Amino acid sequence: QVEHPVTEMVTNIDLVKWQIRIAAGLPMDFTQADIRLDSCAIECRINAENPDLNFRPSCGRISLLHIPGGPRVRFDTALYQDYQVPPFYDSMIGKLIVYATNREQAIRKMKAALCETIVEGIENNRELQVDLISEPEFLDGSYTTDFLARREQK
């Protein structure tokens, strides 16, 4: 599950750690009843691709990289300055995840984190992500699975 960081953020449970512990035969020290969902997390997948050219993959050298930080901001990636993004794999280069007490705060935090994110040297979808989470349909939660296709038709 590529979105497991969202689950980890809202449950405060390290799923990978527990998968390893369970595989090693260790018992879980919590039950489903112990898990409380009273917060919000959002994940944006940062991809090496050009949204304006039908999401054409992009490869090349990362010439400048700034990863956002702060409380409850997480960026899962293998990128580093001067990394060479190859053309042979999935275009995802990072997962940006934020956590807040409610959806409105999580959206604000995600916008700030996206704006702090700098990946230069390759084309990427960071700017599209900022635009998408600013759309009225996303803000009010009325978007559907055809949201992106309808947005592109406008």
Side-chain angles (χ1 to χ4, degrees):
Q1 177 191 353
V2 295
E3 290 78 21
H4 78 272
V6 169
T7 303
E8 290 178 337
M9 287 282 212
V10 297
T11 62
N12 202 30
I13 295 171
D14 185 330
L15 296 177
V16 175
K17 176 183 95 174
W18 278 103
Q19 287 176 332
I20 294 167
R21 290 176 60 99
I22 291 166
L26 298 173
M28 294 176 63
D29 64 359
F30 59 92
T31 67
Q32 184 68 43
D34 297 324
I35 299 171
R36 300 279 181 254
L37 301 176
D38 57 1
S39 56
C40 185
I42 299 174
E43 176 179 318
C44 287
R45 296 177 69 162
I46 307 301
N47 294 334
E49 60 190 20
N50 186 332
D52 296 330
L53 295 175
N54 201 27
F55 298 92
R56 181 181 70 194
S58 177
C59 58
R61 185 181 68 82
I62 303 296
S63 59
L64 180 62
L65 177 65
H66 176 77
I67 294 173
R72 303 300 234 164
V73 175
R74 172 176 167 175
F75 192 65
D76 292 356
T77 188
L79 289 184
Y80 54 86
Q81 191 86 18
D82 294 323
Y83 177 75
Q84 186 73 29
V85 176
F88 310 113
Y89 308 104
D90 185 306
S91 64
M92 186 176 70
I93 55 175
K95 297 182 294 189
L96 179 59
I97 309 100
V98 301
Y99 165 91
T101 56
N102 62 50
R103 188 170 187 274
E104 182 180 297
Q105 290 174 357
I107 291 170
R108 279 199 310 268
K109 185 176 273 196
M110 179 57 81
K111 281 183 189 179
L114 283 165
C115 288
E116 286 179 33
T117 304
I118 299 171
V119 181
E120 291 185 3
I122 59 166
E123 297 173 9
N124 62 78
N125 68 339
R126 185 204 57 84
E127 195 170 313
L128 174 63
Q129 300 278 5
V130 174
D131 292 345
L132 291 175
I133 67 170
S134 301
E135 289 280 345
E137 282 180 78
F138 183 83
L139 294 171
D140 68 19
S142 65
Y143 63 95
T144 61
T145 56
D146 65 347
F147 172 63
L148 189 58
R150 285 184 297 102
R151 183 180 181 275
E152 289 177 357
Q153 292 173 351
K154 290 180 187 178

